[in-house]
Amino acid sequence: MLLTDKSLIAKRGLKKKLSSKFAYKMLAFVKANFPNDEMMIKRMIRQIKCSSRLEIYSNGVVKSIFCKEKTCSVCNSIRLAKFLDKYLDPIKGENIKYHMVLTVRNPGQSDLKSTIDKMYDFFNNSSLRKDKAYRGLNKTIKMFRSFETTLNEKSNTYNVHFHILLAGQKETEVIEYGKLLIDFWLKYFKEKANIKAQYLEKQEKSILENFKYLFKINDITVSNIRMVYHLLKAIEGKRLFTAKNIHLTKETIESKEEKFNDIEDAKLIETFNYMNKEKNWINDKTGEIFVQDQDYEKLKLEKARRKKL
């Protein structure tokens, strides 16, 4: 990120505030209810500290240290940006794109982890992999997959599901591949899968609609924080974004990573620390505010403009 990217820096400021707010809620909950869960406590403290210090270099680069937590809005944005930077262009070149959702009947806390484990294991299901039609299409159809959860507080259950983007050169093949996945999904989960809840449709909206975060952090409150805690325990070790049949060379990967590691031999000239009370980064020596009010106002106007398009 460059010092001139005021809009991006303002966005990070908003995400930082949102992420810290969630982490403080979760930290308080864990200390009160699961004080022996030292790992979760450390993770939330790390999230609170995420991007708390901005380093400004002589070449205009702004750097920080990140927590890489699944619940961090800042790190989720960076993670998704890196993922899309590598894989989005290859899939744009495909003629046909379909959107698919695979889900199951909402599990409760007791069977949440086993359900999520089984959902991820589905793509390695031996019965599916032995199917002749699937084996042929599985080598050619490109796939993006993201995992999302919405909370049903009334029933204390979780709506867990995959958003999947399928892409290929022939519509008949993409449709056949999608229908195969749904058919095997229904057989795999049996009574736990609702046939009406699975769907396959042509991708009409932006491709980015397929990339969902684990949950909507704005929806997390004191009343549902317990549900989120158990979700985080159940999803540990799982990748939220996955790509298939998009093969990148070592040179491509390295060139894509360069833009995220661009300090070179520049000299550190000043630092800003995040002050929670001021909701901003403050210069260590001068007390200068890093992101000005007008930067946030410009961001609000830009968001409003995009909604009208």
Side-chain angles (χ1 to χ4, degrees):
M1 182 179 293
L2 297 176
L3 190 58
T4 53
D5 298 331
K6 287 296 183 180
S7 177
L8 292 177
I9 295 171
K11 284 182 183 178
R12 179 168 294 179
L14 293 175
K15 292 178 185 297
K16 166 67 180 168
K17 294 167 189 174
L18 188 64
S19 183
S20 295
K21 184 178 179 181
F22 167 82
Y24 276 116
K25 286 181 186 175
M26 181 58 74
L27 182 61
F29 170 81
V30 176
K31 284 184 174 180
N33 297 275
F34 301 96
N36 294 326
D37 192 348
E38 295 180 3
M39 182 57 69
M40 184 64 75
I41 290 173
K42 288 180 181 178
R43 287 171 58 186
M44 290 303 104
I45 291 175
R46 190 162 58 240
Q47 183 166 324
I48 290 169
K49 293 180 178 179
C50 179
S51 61
S52 288
R53 177 182 171 90
L54 298 182
E55 298 180 342
I56 315 300
Y57 287 82
S58 55
N59 63 348
V61 171
V62 180
K63 280 288 185 177
S64 190
I65 295 176
F66 304 104
C67 66
K68 300 181 180 179
E69 293 294 333
K70 288 184 174 73
T71 54
C72 177
S73 300
V74 174
C75 292
N76 277 337
S77 296
I78 295 172
R79 185 182 295 115
L80 181 57
K82 287 184 176 182
F83 186 88
L84 294 176
D85 198 51
K86 289 180 181 178
Y87 298 112
L88 193 57
D89 284 343
I91 210 164
K92 281 183 176 178
E94 299 295 333
N95 293 330
I96 308 299
K97 301 176 184 67
Y98 270 73
H99 173 233
M100 181 168 65
V101 169
L102 294 177
T103 187
V104 294
R105 297 185 188 278
N106 292 9
Q109 180 187 317
S110 60
D111 60 338
L112 178 62
K113 187 179 187 310
S114 61
T115 299
I116 292 176
D117 286 344
K118 192 171 182 180
M119 289 173 69
Y120 274 82
D121 289 343
F122 166 75
F123 295 95
N124 295 316
N125 177 20
S126 59
S127 297
L128 177 66
R129 289 181 170 273
K130 287 178 182 178
D131 184 84
K132 185 176 180 181
Y134 173 82
R135 287 205 314 270
L137 293 170
N138 194 46
K139 296 176 182 178
T140 58
I141 304 299
K142 291 180 172 61
M143 175 194 289
F144 279 158
R145 189 182 79 212
S146 65
F147 180 84
E148 185 187 26
T149 306
T150 54
L151 308 176
N152 188 327
E153 291 187 66
K154 290 184 179 179
S155 61
N156 201 35
T157 58
Y158 301 79
N159 178 6
V160 288
H161 50 279
F162 286 120
H163 287 270
I164 298 175
L165 175 65
L166 301 177
Q169 292 297 315
K170 297 181 180 180
E171 187 165 21
T172 53
E173 292 183 349
V174 175
I175 292 174
E176 183 182 0
Y177 186 70
K179 288 182 176 180
L180 276 171
L181 285 174
I182 290 176
D183 288 344
F184 274 93
W185 182 270
L186 294 173
K187 293 175 185 177
Y188 188 69
F189 283 97
K190 299 177 182 177
E191 70 279 359
K192 286 189 175 182
N194 183 347
I195 188 170
K196 294 181 180 180
Q198 328 300 325
Y199 66 85
L200 176 71
E201 61 183 13
K202 201 155 189 176
Q203 181 71 42
E204 300 291 351
K205 297 180 180 179
S206 167
I207 292 176
L208 298 180
E209 291 292 323
N210 294 277
F211 298 95
K212 306 292 184 178
Y213 293 136
L214 179 57
F215 54 79
K216 293 178 176 64
I217 198 168
N218 279 322
D219 295 340
I220 307 309
T221 63
V222 174
S223 64
N224 61 25
I225 196 74
R226 180 179 291 272
M227 294 185 70
V228 178
Y229 172 78
H230 292 294
L231 172 63
L232 295 180
K233 302 298 286 186
I235 201 69
E236 281 183 0
K238 299 290 193 297
R239 296 181 63 181
L240 300 183
F241 304 120
T242 304
K244 185 177 73 65
N245 284 337
I246 302 177
H247 306 293
L248 303 176
T249 64
K250 183 179 179 181
E251 291 74 16
T252 301
I253 294 174
E254 289 177 347
S255 65
K256 294 293 186 182
E257 289 293 338
E258 282 180 7
K259 65 192 294 183
F260 295 98
N261 301 282
D262 46 9
I263 291 183
E264 299 177 352
D265 298 322
K267 182 181 178 182
L268 177 62
I269 56 175
E270 58 182 339
T271 58
F272 291 77
N273 285 322
Y274 187 79
M275 304 296 288
N276 191 53
K277 290 182 179 179
E278 285 80 2
K279 304 293 185 185
N280 210 321
W281 293 282
I282 309 297
N283 188 291
D284 293 347
K285 297 179 180 179
T286 66
E288 175 190 356
I289 294 176
F290 189 71
V291 182
Q292 304 298 326
D293 291 341
Q294 58 264 33
D295 296 318
Y296 287 120
E297 290 302 320
K298 288 179 182 178
L299 185 59
K300 289 179 182 178
L301 291 172
E302 178 61 22
K303 283 184 177 180
R305 186 190 66 79
R306 286 201 300 268
K307 284 183 180 181
K308 292 179 179 179
L309 295 179

